[in-house]
Amino acid sequence: MRTLIDIPEHQLDDLSAICAARKVSRAQLVREAIDAFIQRYRPSREPAFGLWRDQLAPNGDEAPHDGLAYQERLRSEW
C-alpha cells in the first residue's frame, strides 16, 4: 500500500544519510522503522492468565474468537 506523509527536512536529511550508510532504499528503512514501532507498542497478552495465555490457533494465527468451539475441538481429540 502506498501512503503519503510529510517529513521535516532535517529528518529527511538524517534518513537519507542512514540509507546511504546502510545501502538500502528510503522505503525499506521506513518499513523497518514501522515494524520496530509496531513491535514496541503492540498490545501484549500479559493480562491473560493460565494455559490460554500463549495459545495460537493451529495455523499460527491469533487464538480463535470462539473459545468454546476451540476448547470442544481440542477435547474431542481425547
Side-chain angles (χ1 to χ4, degrees), residues 7-27 29-30:
I7 300 174
E9 193 68 33
H10 69 278
Q11 287 182 334
L12 194 55
D13 292 341
D14 290 341
L15 189 63
S16 295
I18 295 168
C19 289
R22 292 189 52 200
K23 295 184 173 99
V24 297
S25 69
R26 191 180 301 158
L29 201 61
V30 169

Side-chain angles (χ1 to χ4, degrees), residues 37-66:
F37 183 87
I38 290 171
Q39 291 298 318
R40 182 174 179 180
Y41 291 104
R42 176 180 284 151
S44 72
R45 295 184 187 180
E46 212 43 49
F49 64 93
L51 93 126
W52 293 100
R53 176 185 3 211
D54 298 319
Q55 295 299 313
L56 297 177
N59 63 1
D61 289 341
E62 293 291 320
H65 294 289
D66 185 358

Side-chain angles (χ1 to χ4, degrees), residues 1-5 27 30-31 34:
M1 178 181 126
R2 289 183 175 259
T3 191
L4 180 65
I5 59 171
V30 169
R31 284 190 295 266
I34 291 171

